[in-house]
């Protein structure tokens, strides 16, 4: 359980900062690095949701509080992802 929890925390610490970094890098014009950061952030979110699901099912973590935390974290990721995508659209139309 401890290994899964540590992995879960590592994914949580990496996910949103990577997406925010991708947004900033894309704003300054380096699209290849931004795409790589966004890809790793998405992988991190998948790992975060997967390990969270394992913690709930296998180790009976608090279901209601865990689901609320997962929804809030996913919403933060979604907001930063929408900013990343909108920036890509606005950059294409401006040039």
């Amino acid at each position: 359980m401890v290994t899964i929890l540590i992995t879960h925390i590592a994914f949580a610490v990496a996910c949103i900062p990577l997406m925010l970094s991708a947004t900033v890098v894309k704003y300054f014009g380096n699209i290849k690095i931004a795409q790589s950061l966004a890809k790793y952030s998405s992988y991190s979110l998948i790992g975060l949701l997967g390990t969270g699901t394992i913690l709930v099912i296998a180790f009976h973590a608090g279901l209601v509080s865990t689901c609320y935390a997962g929804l809030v974290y996913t919403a933060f990721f979604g907001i930063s992802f929408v900013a990343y995508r909108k920036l890509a659209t606005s950059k294409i139309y401006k040039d």
Side-chain angles (χ1 to χ4, degrees), residues 21-22 25-26 30-40 84:
S21 298
V25 168
K26 185 166 232 168
N30 198 339
I31 294 173
K32 286 193 170 211
I33 293 175
Q35 288 175 344
S36 295
L37 290 172
K39 179 176 67 172
Y40 292 132
Y84 173 79

Side-chain angles (χ1 to χ4, degrees), residues 23-65:
T23 305
V24 170
V25 168
K26 185 166 232 168
Y27 178 75
F28 288 115
N30 198 339
I31 294 173
K32 286 193 170 211
I33 293 175
Q35 288 175 344
S36 295
L37 290 172
K39 179 176 67 172
Y40 292 132
S41 178
S42 298
Y43 291 157
S44 182
L45 180 68
I46 292 168
L48 179 70
L49 295 175
T51 55
T53 303
I54 291 170
L55 286 170
V56 167
I57 292 173
F59 300 109
H60 306 293
L63 182 62
V64 175
S65 62

